[in-house]
Amino acid sequence: MPFDFRSAERVRRHDPGTTLRRRPDDRLPFLGGEARAGTGLLLDTCVYIDQMQGRAPGIVEDLLAIRPVHHSAVALQELMHTVGVLDPADARSGRAVASIGTAIDAMPPHRIVVPDLDVLARAAVYAGMLSRNQGYVRDARMSALHDCVLFLQAMKLGFCVLTRNLTDFDLLLQMRPDGRVLFYRT
């Protein structure tokens, strides 16, 4: 499929043109008191980290047990970046790398989804708008790009993003209210 610049560029119609603010919690889609069946989930990297560190709340574990769970190549990439960043001389690194390996090995290959060119291009435009409007610099720009890819990938596949990243995904929901996100706190 050839790349369609005009189609990807049209996402600029969602440009808020101004700095966005995170909305109050009562306006965000948080997990309720009990896990409910529903659409498939695409996990943000923080979900894996919270699970590895034993900080994922019970409601998250319950939700993961009853919904179809999908894994984005973006989250896998972020986890592998962590493997590269960890200092091999630090005694804690070996345990962390082993935990990451266990998490990745547990991902069924048929549930790992790779973003296509359309998602990557559109995500780049959204991340650029967020970077400009929110005043993001360096690392925040790359983080925004990853979040945008995950968000748009979930939209395209009909999934819901599960995350505790309130600020960034709330901004995306403000730009694209048709996206689906479920928030939780540790």
Side-chain angles (χ1 to χ4, degrees):
M1 172 182 213
F3 177 67
D4 183 358
F5 171 80
R6 283 169 193 67
S7 176
E9 190 271 341
R10 276 193 288 273
V11 303
R12 290 176 12 147
R13 69 180 176 270
H14 298 284
D15 187 350
T18 186
T19 302
L20 298 171
R21 301 278 182 239
R22 187 173 92 66
R23 297 174 292 180
D25 285 359
D26 64 356
R27 297 197 45 214
L28 299 179
F30 275 89
L31 283 173
E34 105 182 27
R36 296 175 191 255
T39 188
L41 300 171
L42 194 60
L43 306 183
D44 190 5
T45 309
C46 62
V47 178
Y48 304 100
I49 293 168
D50 290 342
Q51 285 183 307
M52 286 183 253
Q53 295 178 346
R55 296 184 310 162
I59 186 75
V60 166
E61 298 299 335
D62 294 344
L63 189 67
L64 297 177
I66 63 172
R67 291 224 191 156
V69 176
H70 303 271
H71 311 277
S72 176
V74 171
L76 196 143
Q77 182 183 35
E78 288 180 326
L79 290 170
M80 291 307 298
H81 179 263
T82 301
V83 169
V85 167
L86 290 171
D87 181 358
D90 187 324
R92 298 169 296 177
S93 293
R95 287 187 305 273
V97 169
S99 292
I100 292 169
T102 299
I104 291 172
D105 287 344
M107 297 176 185
H110 69 283
R111 293 286 176 99
I112 297 174
V113 292
V114 179
D116 63 21
L117 185 57
D118 177 62
V119 166
L120 293 172
R122 290 171 188 269
V125 177
Y126 279 104
M129 290 185 301
L130 282 170
S131 294
R132 175 175 35 83
N133 290 326
Q134 302 303 121
Y136 291 163
V137 294
R138 298 186 187 244
D139 291 346
R141 289 180 179 180
M142 185 58 70
S143 179
L145 179 58
H146 289 164
D147 292 341
C148 289
V149 171
L150 191 69
F151 182 80
L152 293 175
Q153 185 179 28
M155 284 182 66
K156 186 167 194 168
L157 298 172
F159 300 150
C160 178
V161 176
L162 179 64
T163 186
R164 70 171 153 73
N165 181 347
L166 304 176
T167 300
D168 296 325
F169 282 92
D170 176 34
L171 299 180
L172 285 167
L173 282 173
Q174 288 178 56
M175 293 171 74
R176 290 299 304 264
D178 51 332
R180 290 186 283 184
V181 176
L182 275 175
F183 294 108
Y184 69 92
R185 292 188 189 280
T186 54

